[in-house]
């Protein structure tokens, strides 16, 4: 990890979007992530940083890359990772998003990592639970964990860049918010 990455704690309870983060805050998170990229290249990838912490991955829409990345990261950092399967949950019987959140909250997790097809759903959940909430994508609104580390590693910086975003039109709003911070 780069010097200073672990010196100051992340000052936010949740990571819901990128807009509220300062450039220093973004770089702090990216410094930490960059250190873990190096860890993933080692033979011994397991650490105990999250030992005793429970992370529940709640993916209300399909995502191979994001869900698997967060699951692997949580496990490699020593956390207890639970993947909630929406098709196997009470939501298929009509349980609401808030009811599901309250059920999960009663289990006292440390982090809910949420991907949801509706913009604003993750923010709503953050108001209803006692733990930290990380937005892993909410509709066309935000996907704050997307691409910043890759851009910084390839370009050496985030500021002053022109970025072309290609992909699904529905994802362009989330990518637009990302591009504003670069």
């Amino acid at each position: 990890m780069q010097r200073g990455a672990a010196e100051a704690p992340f000052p936010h309870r949740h990571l819901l979007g990128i807009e509220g983060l300062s450039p220093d805050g973004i770089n702090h998170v990216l410094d930490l992530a960059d250190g873990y990229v190096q860890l993933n290249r080692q033979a011994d990838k397991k650490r105990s940083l999250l030992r005793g912490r429970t992370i529940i991955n709640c993916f209300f829409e399909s995502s191979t890359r994001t869900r698997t990345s967060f699951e692997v990261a949580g496990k490699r950092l020593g956390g207890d990772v639970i993947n909630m399967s929406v098709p196997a949950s009470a939501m298929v019987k009509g349980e609401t998003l808030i009811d599901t959140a309250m059920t999960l909250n009663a289990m006292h997790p440390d982090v809910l990592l949420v991907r949801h097809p509706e913009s604003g759903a993750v923010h709503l959940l953050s108001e209803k639970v006692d733990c930290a909430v990380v937005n892993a994508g909410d509709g066309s609104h935000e996907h704050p964990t997307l691409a910043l580390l890759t851009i910084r590693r390839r370009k050496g910086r985030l500021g002053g860049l022109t970025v072309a975003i290609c992909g699904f039109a529905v994802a362009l709003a989330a990518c637009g918010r990302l591009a504003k911070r670069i």
Side-chain angles (χ1 to χ4, degrees):
M1 273 184 267
Q2 295 180 12
R3 189 173 59 83
E7 292 172 9
F10 188 67
H12 306 281
R13 180 172 175 215
H14 308 293
L15 179 56
L16 303 177
I18 196 168
E19 201 160 323
L21 301 178
S22 69
D24 286 343
I26 292 169
N27 279 313
H28 173 74
V29 171
L30 295 180
D31 288 346
L32 288 170
D34 211 20
Y36 293 119
V37 167
Q38 298 307 315
L39 174 67
N40 280 326
R41 294 183 176 142
Q42 298 174 10
D44 178 18
K45 297 170 177 59
K46 200 84 161 155
R47 295 294 179 263
S48 60
L49 183 69
L50 297 178
R51 182 181 308 152
R53 306 289 174 123
T54 301
I55 302 147
I56 302 178
N57 291 336
C58 306
F59 279 70
F60 295 91
E61 65 179 356
S62 298
S63 170
T64 302
R65 189 174 42 239
T66 304
R67 186 191 60 77
T68 305
S69 295
F70 277 108
E71 181 180 359
V72 167
K75 288 179 178 181
R76 285 185 179 168
L77 293 175
D80 298 317
V81 180
I82 299 164
N83 290 313
M84 188 190 101
S85 173
V86 173
S89 76
M91 291 188 81
V92 298
K93 297 186 293 185
E95 182 177 85
T96 68
L97 179 63
I98 299 303
D99 290 338
T100 299
M102 298 317 299
T103 299
L104 297 175
N105 193 54
M107 297 174 194
H108 304 286
D110 296 286
V111 179
L112 283 183
L113 194 127
V114 182
R115 180 161 189 146
H116 198 280
E118 299 294 324
S119 296
V122 178
H123 186 269
L124 176 66
L125 288 177
S126 74
E127 295 173 342
K128 304 293 182 185
V129 298
D130 299 323
C131 63
V133 176
V134 175
N135 185 352
D138 65 334
S140 62
H141 181 241
E142 289 255 14
H143 193 322
T145 60
L146 183 74
L148 286 176
L149 182 60
T150 301
I151 293 169
R152 188 179 78 164
R153 292 183 95 218
R154 290 192 179 158
K155 295 297 183 181
R157 68 186 194 288
L158 290 176
L161 298 173
T162 300
V163 178
I165 300 171
C166 305
F168 296 115
V170 73
L172 291 180
C175 293
R177 283 176 201 47
L178 174 82
K180 285 180 191 175
R181 299 301 293 173
I182 297 175

